[in-house]
Amino acid sequence: MTTDVYRIEFDDRATREEAELTLHLATYAVEGLFGAARVRMDAGYHVDEPRHAITIDGTTEVGAALVQVFTSLALREFGEEAFRVRRMPVPTAAEGRAA
């Protein structure tokens, strides 16, 4: 299991609405793999409208799949230059993260 969250920052080629709709499509695809209940429990994201970014929690198997599907869809829809994906480390329990 990964200990990272992913921040996807978009330029002006993708509106917030388009990016969020693509995220919803990715969520539906991941529901096909894991089921709606598990996605609801294990997948998390945050839309940061002012920064034109979406942060996805990739610390679970479901979240990691959501990041992969969303990134693949965004590449096809917006192109390689329209966004950037950054891995944002999250401290583990051993490093002081509350369990």
Side-chain angles (χ1 to χ4, degrees):
M1 186 179 334
T2 183
T3 57
D4 293 310
V5 297
Y6 295 83
R7 184 171 179 83
I8 301 97
E9 298 171 340
F10 293 89
D11 67 14
D12 293 337
R13 287 174 261 201
T15 67
R16 182 200 51 84
E17 293 85 8
E18 290 172 324
E20 203 166 351
L21 286 172
T22 301
L23 178 61
H24 290 295
L25 183 60
T27 301
Y28 297 144
V30 173
E31 283 179 359
L33 296 171
F34 296 99
R38 188 156 174 216
V39 169
R40 184 175 279 249
M41 293 183 305
D42 289 347
Y45 68 87
H46 171 73
V47 177
D48 187 346
E49 190 170 346
R51 292 191 174 95
H52 207 59
I54 295 175
T55 302
I56 301 174
D57 180 355
T59 60
T60 65
E61 182 182 18
V62 175
L66 180 60
V67 171
Q68 289 177 332
V69 172
F70 177 67
T71 302
S72 293
L73 291 173
L75 282 167
R76 289 187 173 268
E77 184 172 352
F78 308 118
E80 291 183 21
E81 302 299 319
F83 68 97
R84 152 180 119 143
V85 180
R86 291 188 308 147
R87 187 179 266 185
M88 312 284 290
V90 175
T92 64
E95 297 169 336
R97 181 179 180 193

